[in-house]
Amino acid sequence: TQTSYERLSEARTLFGDLTGKVNSIGRLAISHLPKAVSNKFTHLIVAAAWCSMAALRGASNGRARDFLLLKLSEIFCASDGQSIFGHCSGDEVGHGPLNAVLLELSCLLGDVGKDGTAPEWVLGRMQELLDDISVTFGRCDRLRTTPIPLSFGHHGHRCLVGFLLGLPFVLFQVCGAATPFFCSALAFMALGIDESGAQIEQPFCILPLLPLCNAVQAEVEAMQKMLNERQPN
């Protein structure tokens, strides 16, 4: 159970770090890149957050793919969304869509660097953030693809059940007729904790990734709107 909670905490920290980097690079794009480029860049960086979420859910029944296609169609025109969505592997989303988005973002930065329309330090910092996003996603995917071994969880469950079965013989000398009540209460709490640990072994299946990605999209769009109001032309 302790290991499961540690995985949950690490997953929440990593995905929060990933969304924070998405916000940071979106802010730099909006404030320093030419308007036409920044609009495309912010669309892509928001798509990166959604691609990360869909890949980390790891669903093999097509639900994650359908959800990602819906989100991409809201962000891009049909052709651009399909070009990214086409990198899905089978029923799973996989790394393909996110890698395609990050590659497109790097190409945009390269084009801006050739044109000289943005400061070099900004482009360097944005490329660093793109690299960090890729690394952080890799760490998240490591958590998803390396679950706690089944034998480890089964052995712990068997030990707990054995302890609970032997508990009445020990408590009867102290609790007497109240032994069934105390044993039932202890079993309820102990087995509940064990079940909670089993449910959070796959942290990305229970973390609120949807609200986090919605918040990223809302914040990037709000920054874009603020800049447009300050610079209408």
Side-chain angles (χ1 to χ4, degrees):
T1 300
Q2 180 63 31
T3 303
S4 297
Y5 278 106
E6 289 175 355
R7 285 167 58 86
L8 179 66
S9 177
E10 183 181 2
R12 177 63 184 87
T13 301
L14 286 174
F15 198 79
D17 187 39
L18 189 149
T19 55
K21 289 181 171 69
V22 168
N23 274 332
S24 296
I25 197 170
R27 184 179 64 253
L28 288 172
I30 291 169
S31 57
H32 293 284
L33 297 185
K35 188 173 181 179
V37 178
S38 70
N39 286 336
K40 184 175 182 180
F41 199 96
T42 52
H43 289 163
L44 285 167
I45 202 63
V46 169
W50 289 115
C51 290
S52 300
M53 172 191 160
L56 292 174
R57 286 298 190 194
S60 59
N61 56 7
R63 292 175 58 189
R65 294 176 73 253
D66 296 340
F67 178 81
L68 180 60
L69 179 59
L70 175 63
K71 285 299 178 181
L72 293 179
S73 64
E74 293 175 357
I75 298 171
F76 303 103
C77 65
S79 59
D80 290 340
Q82 284 288 351
S83 66
I84 295 173
F85 183 74
H87 290 83
C88 293
S89 54
D91 287 335
E92 291 192 0
V93 174
H95 297 196
L98 179 62
N99 289 337
V101 170
L102 294 179
L103 177 61
E104 184 66 23
L105 288 168
S106 294
C107 291
L108 276 178
L109 291 180
D111 293 339
V112 173
K114 293 176 183 178
D115 296 339
T117 52
E120 287 293 332
W121 70 269
V122 171
L123 299 178
R125 177 56 181 158
M126 293 175 75
Q127 187 60 57
E128 289 178 5
L129 287 170
L130 286 180
D131 295 338
D132 289 343
I133 289 172
S134 180
V135 171
T136 303
F137 174 78
R139 295 174 65 188
C140 290
D141 195 58
R142 172 185 57 81
L143 277 178
R144 183 184 73 86
T145 55
T146 54
I148 298 174
L150 289 176
S151 58
F152 181 83
H154 290 166
H155 180 68
H157 184 75
R158 287 192 293 266
C159 290
L160 178 60
V161 171
F163 169 78
L164 292 173
L165 289 175
L167 192 60
F169 301 100
V170 178
L171 288 183
F172 183 77
Q173 302 176 14
V174 178
C175 301
T179 298
F181 170 77
F182 287 107
C183 287
S184 298
L186 289 172
F188 176 79
M189 291 185 288
L191 291 175
I193 293 172
D194 184 65
E195 179 63 22
S196 298
Q199 289 181 359
I200 62 176
E201 287 181 5
Q202 284 292 354
F204 294 107
C205 293
I206 62 171
L207 281 174
L209 304 186
L210 179 62
L212 290 172
C213 290
N214 278 327
V216 168
Q217 184 169 355
E219 290 172 9
V220 171
E221 290 175 352
M223 287 188 289
Q224 185 75 63
K225 182 178 179 181
M226 289 172 57
L227 187 65
N228 291 339
E229 289 175 351
R230 291 176 54 189
Q231 302 175 355
N233 296 324

